[in-house]
């Protein structure tokens, strides 16, 4: 039984790490952390927006993925230009990734309440292996060839939204990065594509429904599909469910968000795998905090739907 568990853990962790294409971190509450994957989102909330997120994935696994993010973005005075910066710390088993990127967007009006934004991002990805893991596998030539390093990368995106609808497409990293110095082994960051969308339906005066989706595609990796649906009660309380599936894994989850004030939002998401790995983990926990400085825009809505 222990051998089976160890094999599942090894496959689950290392299928997205050493020797295989690395995808960017995934989030259950992706609709509130769009800046991490699409630079065109910068400034779209018409306020200085600060978002922090912590995700503990596959709790119960030694070395299970842990992700922490912090992003800040804001429009400038003319509301056409948006600027942002994001920091992501992603630990997957023995591998550690740090992403530090700046974002720039420019938007143009479309129709009565729509905006079409174009964005670019640029920054650095830091990659390292845990020293204990490196020492324990010093006999492995492919491990010896993997160096700790900072590498530059760029990304681009397009984001269109109205008050109750949004669509976005982006590739947050365009350059291929080889993290290995030997010719016998490849560990690449490859081109990744993200397609997102969502809409809000008024079910009654006090009740709204917001379905949303995210499709992730990376060269050399399975396509991943995220689908969520949230109910909004009295413009204050969100309650929803999520479903994620790709070629090898699947997960279901629940989302709870509370708009504490016009400026402060708190969110929690729980996710449980429904593939073979489910027997060895209690699930995934994700906590989100969002604070917005309304003095930057007199039109700050409470809450913003996207």
């Amino acid at each position: 039984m222990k051998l089976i568990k160890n094999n599942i853990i090894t496959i689950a962790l290392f299928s997205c790490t050493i020797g295989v294409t690395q995808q960017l971190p995934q989030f259950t509450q992706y609709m509130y952390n769009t800046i991490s994957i699409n630079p065109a989102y910068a400034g779209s909330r018409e306020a200085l927006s600060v978002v922090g997120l912590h995700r503990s994935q596959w709790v119960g696994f030694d070395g299970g993925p842990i992700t922490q993010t912090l992003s800040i973005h804001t429009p400038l005075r003319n509301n056409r230009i948006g600027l942002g910066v994001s920091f992501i710390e992603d630990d997957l088993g023995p591998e550690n990734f740090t992403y530090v990127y700046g974002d720039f967007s420019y938007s143009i009006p479309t129709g009565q309440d729509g905006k079409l934004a174009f964005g670019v991002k640029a920054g650095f990805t830091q990659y390292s292996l845990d020293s204990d893991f490196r020492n324990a596998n010093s006999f492995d030539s492919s491990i010896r060839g993997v160096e700790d390093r900072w590498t530059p990368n760029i990304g681009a995106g397009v984001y269109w939204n109205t008050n109750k609808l949004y669509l976005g497409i982006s590739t947050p990293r365009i350059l291929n990065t080889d993290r290995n110095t030997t010719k016998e082994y490849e560990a690449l960051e490859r081109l990744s594509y993200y397609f997102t969308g969502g809409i809000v339906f008024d079910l009654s005066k006090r009740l709204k429904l917001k379905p949303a989706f995210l499709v992730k595609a990376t060269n050399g990796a399975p396509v991943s599909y995220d689908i969520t649906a949230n109910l909004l009660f009295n413009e204050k309380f969100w309650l929803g469910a999520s479903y994620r599936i790709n070629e090898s894994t699947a997960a279901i989850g629940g989302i709870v968000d509370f708009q504490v004030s016009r400026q402060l939002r708190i969110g929690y998401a729980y996710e449980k795998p429904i593939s073979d790995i489910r027997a060895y983990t209690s699930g995934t926990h994700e906590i989100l905090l969002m604070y917005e400085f309304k003095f930057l825009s007199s039109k700050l809505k409470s809450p913003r739907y996207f």
Side-chain angles (χ1 to χ4, degrees):
M1 187 69 177
K2 184 177 180 180
L3 179 60
I4 295 174
K5 178 180 179 180
N6 289 339
N7 287 340
I8 291 176
I9 293 173
T10 301
I11 293 171
L13 290 177
F14 287 91
S15 65
C16 56
T17 55
I18 296 175
V20 182
T21 300
Q22 161 68 17
Q23 294 196 58
L24 287 172
Q26 63 184 18
F27 307 103
T28 305
Q29 301 175 91
Y30 56 84
M31 68 292 294
Y32 308 125
N33 198 33
T34 306
I35 190 68
S36 66
I37 60 171
N38 192 337
Y41 187 77
S44 65
R45 294 185 64 86
E46 299 178 347
L48 192 155
S49 181
V50 182
V51 180
L53 185 146
H54 174 89
R55 178 181 174 89
S56 295
Q57 185 171 335
W58 301 336
V59 173
F61 280 178
D62 185 16
I66 296 177
T67 305
Q68 300 178 85
T69 76
L70 177 65
S71 63
I72 303 173
H73 65 103
T74 182
L76 297 187
R77 291 293 181 180
N78 62 7
N79 284 328
R80 290 287 187 94
I81 295 175
L83 298 177
V85 62
S86 59
F87 171 87
I88 302 175
E89 178 71 25
D90 192 33
D91 300 326
L92 300 93
E95 291 197 307
N96 306 298
F97 298 84
T98 300
Y99 305 87
V100 181
Y101 282 81
D103 302 282
F104 172 87
S105 71
Y106 184 83
S107 62
I108 57 177
T110 59
Q112 185 175 357
D113 62 356
K115 285 185 178 181
L116 178 63
F118 304 88
V120 293
K121 69 165 58 237
F124 295 88
T125 299
Q126 192 271 342
Y127 170 81
S128 64
L129 276 175
D130 288 343
S131 57
D132 291 342
F133 177 83
R134 188 185 292 277
N135 294 335
N137 294 273
S138 58
F139 59 88
D140 191 329
S141 61
S142 62
I143 297 298
R144 289 200 304 269
V146 179
E147 295 182 349
D148 297 350
R149 65 177 70 178
W150 286 88
T151 54
N153 217 319
I154 57 175
V158 179
Y159 183 81
W160 175 78
N161 74 289
T162 67
N163 289 337
K164 292 189 176 182
L165 174 66
Y166 78 95
L167 292 170
I169 187 168
S170 61
T171 174
R173 52 185 180 182
I174 295 175
L175 305 178
N176 290 350
T177 302
D178 191 342
R179 301 193 298 271
N180 193 285
T181 58
T182 69
K183 295 182 179 180
E184 302 174 354
Y185 182 81
E186 284 189 345
L188 295 176
E189 285 187 327
R190 293 185 182 270
L191 194 63
S192 298
Y193 310 89
Y194 287 72
F195 180 41
T196 58
I199 189 171
V200 174
F201 297 102
D202 292 317
L203 301 183
S204 69
K205 186 176 181 180
R206 297 188 176 184
L207 183 63
K208 292 178 173 62
L209 171 66
K210 187 186 73 173
F213 69 87
L214 182 150
V215 179
K216 298 180 290 185
T218 300
N219 292 343
V223 177
S224 177
Y225 304 89
D226 288 66
I227 301 172
T228 61
N230 288 273
L231 289 170
L232 172 60
F233 303 89
N234 291 324
E235 302 287 340
K236 288 288 186 181
F237 182 70
W238 289 101
L239 181 64
S242 66
Y243 178 67
R244 174 183 299 114
I245 187 170
N246 61 33
E247 186 178 274
S248 57
T249 62
I252 57 174
I255 303 172
V256 177
D257 282 271
F258 183 59
Q259 192 77 34
V260 179
S261 67
R262 293 185 67 204
Q263 295 169 264
L264 177 63
R265 182 192 190 101
I266 299 174
Y268 169 77
Y270 172 79
E271 192 175 87
K272 179 70 173 179
I274 54 176
S275 54
D276 291 342
I277 204 172
R278 66 185 181 277
Y280 307 105
T281 174
S282 60
T284 295
H285 302 272
E286 191 175 283
I287 298 173
L288 177 140
L289 291 175
M290 179 186 297
Y291 192 87
E292 297 185 306
F293 293 87
K294 63 181 180 180
F295 61 83
L296 288 181
S297 174
S298 60
K299 298 183 293 183
L300 179 62
K301 300 179 180 65
S302 177
R304 290 298 302 264
Y305 301 125
F306 317 117

